[in-house]
mmCIF file of all heavy atoms in Angstrom:
data_model
loop_
_atom_site.group_PDB
_atom_site.id
_atom_site.type_symbol
_atom_site.label_atom_id
_atom_site.label_comp_id
_atom_site.label_asym_id
_atom_site.label_seq_id
_atom_site.Cartn_x
_atom_site.Cartn_y
_atom_site.Cartn_z
ATOM 1 N N GLY A 33 -6.437 -9.699 29.714
ATOM 2 C CA GLY A 33 -7.514 -8.824 30.188
ATOM 3 C C GLY A 33 -8.612 -8.627 29.204
ATOM 4 O O GLY A 33 -9.782 -8.659 29.485
ATOM 5 N N TRP A 75 -30.300 -40.153 0.654
ATOM 6 C CA TRP A 75 -29.587 -39.159 -0.147
ATOM 7 C C TRP A 75 -30.606 -38.434 -1.043
ATOM 8 O O TRP A 75 -31.525 -39.055 -1.585
ATOM 9 C CB TRP A 75 -28.503 -39.796 -0.958
ATOM 10 C CG TRP A 75 -27.370 -40.320 -0.139
ATOM 11 C CD1 TRP A 75 -27.301 -41.573 0.468
ATOM 12 C CD2 TRP A 75 -26.174 -39.644 0.219
ATOM 13 N NE1 TRP A 75 -26.135 -41.743 1.163
ATOM 14 C CE2 TRP A 75 -25.385 -40.574 1.073
ATOM 15 C CE3 TRP A 75 -25.695 -38.378 -0.007
ATOM 16 C CZ2 TRP A 75 -24.167 -40.212 1.534
ATOM 17 C CZ3 TRP A 75 -24.431 -38.034 0.512
ATOM 18 C CH2 TRP A 75 -23.706 -38.889 1.296
ATOM 19 N N GLY A 166 -12.829 -18.077 10.893
ATOM 20 C CA GLY A 166 -11.876 -19.087 11.336
ATOM 21 C C GLY A 166 -11.979 -19.390 12.796
ATOM 22 O O GLY A 166 -11.384 -20.371 13.266
ATOM 23 N N GLU A 302 -22.164 31.879 25.986
ATOM 24 C CA GLU A 302 -21.149 30.990 26.563
ATOM 25 C C GLU A 302 -19.805 31.171 25.847
ATOM 26 O O GLU A 302 -18.728 31.157 26.513
ATOM 27 C CB GLU A 302 -21.650 29.578 26.539
ATOM 28 C CG GLU A 302 -22.811 29.317 27.421
ATOM 29 C CD GLU A 302 -23.166 27.873 27.561
ATOM 30 O OE1 GLU A 302 -22.900 27.065 26.636
ATOM 31 O OE2 GLU A 302 -23.747 27.498 28.634
ATOM 32 N N ILE A 313 -7.073 36.147 31.659
ATOM 33 C CA ILE A 313 -5.917 35.384 32.132
ATOM 34 C C ILE A 313 -4.659 35.720 31.357
ATOM 35 O O ILE A 313 -3.588 35.921 31.946
ATOM 36 C CB ILE A 313 -6.201 33.895 32.091
ATOM 37 C CG1 ILE A 313 -7.309 33.498 33.115
ATOM 38 C CG2 ILE A 313 -4.936 33.095 32.353
ATOM 39 C CD1 ILE A 313 -7.778 32.084 33.008
ATOM 40 N N GLU A 317 -2.783 41.969 33.850
ATOM 41 C CA GLU A 317 -1.728 41.812 34.921
ATOM 42 C C GLU A 317 -2.354 41.333 36.233
ATOM 43 O O GLU A 317 -1.749 40.732 37.091
ATOM 44 C CB GLU A 317 -0.949 43.068 35.082
ATOM 45 C CG GLU A 317 0.045 43.392 33.981
ATOM 46 C CD GLU A 317 1.139 42.343 33.915
ATOM 47 O OE1 GLU A 317 1.534 41.827 35.004
ATOM 48 O OE2 GLU A 317 1.597 42.086 32.800
ATOM 49 N N ARG A 330 -22.035 21.577 25.120
ATOM 50 C CA ARG A 330 -23.470 21.469 24.868
ATOM 51 C C ARG A 330 -23.858 20.328 23.949
ATOM 52 O O ARG A 330 -23.083 19.965 23.064
ATOM 53 C CB ARG A 330 -24.053 22.734 24.264
ATOM 54 C CG ARG A 330 -24.344 23.796 25.313
ATOM 55 C CD ARG A 330 -25.164 24.963 24.792
ATOM 56 N NE ARG A 330 -25.474 25.878 25.834
ATOM 57 C CZ ARG A 330 -26.574 25.792 26.626
ATOM 58 N NH1 ARG A 330 -27.455 24.931 26.380
ATOM 59 N NH2 ARG A 330 -26.725 26.708 27.570
ATOM 60 N N GLY A 490 -25.039 14.321 31.788
ATOM 61 C CA GLY A 490 -25.197 15.154 32.992
ATOM 62 C C GLY A 490 -24.165 16.231 33.066
ATOM 63 O O GLY A 490 -24.287 17.185 33.827
ATOM 64 N N PHE A 523 -47.863 4.946 -6.961
ATOM 65 C CA PHE A 523 -47.855 6.271 -6.399
ATOM 66 C C PHE A 523 -46.588 6.990 -6.698
ATOM 67 O O PHE A 523 -46.555 8.165 -7.093
ATOM 68 C CB PHE A 523 -48.065 6.187 -4.863
ATOM 69 C CG PHE A 523 -48.334 7.529 -4.210
ATOM 70 C CD1 PHE A 523 -49.651 7.836 -3.842
ATOM 71 C CD2 PHE A 523 -47.362 8.422 -3.933
ATOM 72 C CE1 PHE A 523 -49.974 9.085 -3.241
ATOM 73 C CE2 PHE A 523 -47.606 9.662 -3.331
ATOM 74 C CZ PHE A 523 -48.923 9.932 -2.999
ATOM 75 N N LEU A 586 -26.719 2.733 -4.703
ATOM 76 C CA LEU A 586 -25.663 3.239 -3.859
ATOM 77 C C LEU A 586 -25.573 2.375 -2.547
ATOM 78 O O LEU A 586 -26.593 2.184 -1.919
ATOM 79 C CB LEU A 586 -25.919 4.736 -3.481
ATOM 80 C CG LEU A 586 -24.864 5.422 -2.639
ATOM 81 C CD1 LEU A 586 -23.617 5.662 -3.542
ATOM 82 C CD2 LEU A 586 -25.402 6.819 -2.222
ATOM 83 N N ALA A 611 -31.676 3.912 -5.378
ATOM 84 C CA ALA A 611 -31.806 2.747 -4.587
ATOM 85 C C ALA A 611 -30.540 2.607 -3.703
ATOM 86 O O ALA A 611 -29.434 2.801 -4.179
ATOM 87 C CB ALA A 611 -31.997 1.500 -5.397
ATOM 88 N N ARG A 647 -35.105 11.883 4.864
ATOM 89 C CA ARG A 647 -34.508 12.223 3.581
ATOM 90 C C ARG A 647 -35.511 13.007 2.710
ATOM 91 O O ARG A 647 -35.092 13.631 1.725
ATOM 92 C CB ARG A 647 -34.046 10.955 2.846
ATOM 93 C CG ARG A 647 -32.888 10.220 3.544
ATOM 94 C CD ARG A 647 -31.715 11.051 3.934
ATOM 95 N NE ARG A 647 -31.825 11.441 5.314
ATOM 96 C CZ ARG A 647 -31.308 12.567 5.825
ATOM 97 N NH1 ARG A 647 -30.675 13.398 5.051
ATOM 98 N NH2 ARG A 647 -31.429 12.854 7.099
ATOM 99 N N TYR A 656 -43.882 11.817 0.954
ATOM 100 C CA TYR A 656 -44.492 10.604 1.332
ATOM 101 C C TYR A 656 -43.466 9.475 1.672
ATOM 102 O O TYR A 656 -42.416 9.462 1.061
ATOM 103 C CB TYR A 656 -45.394 10.044 0.218
ATOM 104 C CG TYR A 656 -46.341 11.087 -0.334
ATOM 105 C CD1 TYR A 656 -45.958 11.974 -1.396
ATOM 106 C CD2 TYR A 656 -47.617 11.270 0.212
ATOM 107 C CE1 TYR A 656 -46.829 12.945 -1.862
ATOM 108 C CE2 TYR A 656 -48.470 12.238 -0.266
ATOM 109 C CZ TYR A 656 -48.099 13.086 -1.279
ATOM 110 O OH TYR A 656 -48.966 14.052 -1.776
ATOM 111 N N ARG A 677 -46.427 5.847 11.764
ATOM 112 C CA ARG A 677 -47.556 6.326 10.999
ATOM 113 C C ARG A 677 -48.273 7.472 11.634
ATOM 114 O O ARG A 677 -48.756 8.372 11.013
ATOM 115 C CB ARG A 677 -48.553 5.180 10.731
ATOM 116 C CG ARG A 677 -49.712 5.488 9.780
ATOM 117 C CD ARG A 677 -50.675 4.345 9.675
ATOM 118 N NE ARG A 677 -51.239 3.911 10.918
ATOM 119 C CZ ARG A 677 -52.018 2.849 11.078
ATOM 120 N NH1 ARG A 677 -52.254 2.104 10.036
ATOM 121 N NH2 ARG A 677 -52.493 2.543 12.252
#
Side-chain angles (χ1 to χ4, degrees):
W75 292 86
E302 294 189 332
I313 290 170
E317 285 296 326
R330 277 192 177 269
F523 193 100
L586 186 68
R647 294 311 96 207
Y656 309 89
R677 185 180 61 185

